[in-house]
Every structure is written in structure tokens, then in C-alpha cells.
Amino acid sequence: MHALVWVFWLSPPQIQVVPVAAALVPYAKKVRRQFHDASYYLDVDISDNELNKMIRNAEVTQYNFVFVVGAEEKRLSMVNVWSCDGSLEVRSRVKSMIFI
């Protein structure tokens, strides 16, 4: 039996934003707000789980993408983008990723 995988624009859980430290939760929420304002569906993982566990939880929940944000990403207004199928890992500026 195969798990149902939704295409991105129909997927209920599109993107999970994962901050690498609690101090970066405000930046993660800012990223979420920017994408949400452009009609994307995002959540922010504010749990106290370790980074690998947060990424794994996003995969199990079947988010299409995980945005990992650290201090360097905050400084440069960027995110690290991971696709949950492992086919993509890229670092990109937030503004260049928002398509309206």
C-alpha cells in the first residue's frame, strides 16, 4: 500500500518552518507570515525537540517542504529548503521564493 502524496498546491501541510534554536522562533514566525500572506500554508515547529526530530516529524506529517532557519539565514533573510522526499536541498532568499 502506498501513502497518498498530494501535489504542492493541493497539499494541506505544505511547508514546516523549523528554527534551529528557540531564539530563532521569531524569525521562523516572520517567514511563516510572509509566505502565509502570499497564500501558502505553513506551520512553525516550536517544540523543544532536537533539529533532526523536528525534520523527521515534518516528513512523517507529509509536509512537502521543510524550511530550516538558523542565525545565518536570519541575517541574510534566507531559508534552507528541504523537500521531504529528499530530492531538493537549497538555500534561497525568502523574497525570491514567494510567488503570488
Side-chain angles (χ1 to χ4, degrees):
M1 188 166 141
H2 297 284
L4 177 65
V5 178
W6 294 83
V7 291
F8 179 75
W9 60 89
L10 293 176
S11 180
Q14 290 178 325
I15 303 166
Q16 175 83 307
V17 185
V18 175
V20 300
L24 293 159
V25 168
Y27 178 65
K29 288 181 177 181
K30 176 182 176 184
V31 169
R32 181 209 172 274
R33 187 173 49 256
Q34 289 174 309
F35 278 84
H36 184 266
D37 289 349
S39 300
Y40 291 93
Y41 179 86
L42 286 81
D43 290 317
V44 176
D45 189 335
I46 58 171
S47 70
D48 59 356
N49 290 326
E50 292 184 9
L51 179 63
N52 289 339
K53 179 68 173 173
M54 289 190 280
I55 293 170
R56 178 66 183 140
N57 287 345
E59 291 171 346
V60 169
T61 307
Q62 296 186 342
Y63 283 90
N64 293 88
F65 295 97
V66 178
F67 290 176
V68 179
V69 295
E72 185 73 4
E73 288 75 27
K74 178 183 177 186
R75 186 178 70 77
L76 298 172
S77 295
M78 299 182 93
V79 294
N80 280 310
V81 181
W82 300 39
S83 66
C84 284
D85 66 2
S87 64
L88 174 71
E89 184 179 335
V90 65
R91 189 172 177 198
S92 183
R93 293 200 179 278
V94 172
K95 285 186 178 183
S96 68
M97 294 180 56
I98 298 176
F99 306 106
I100 300 177

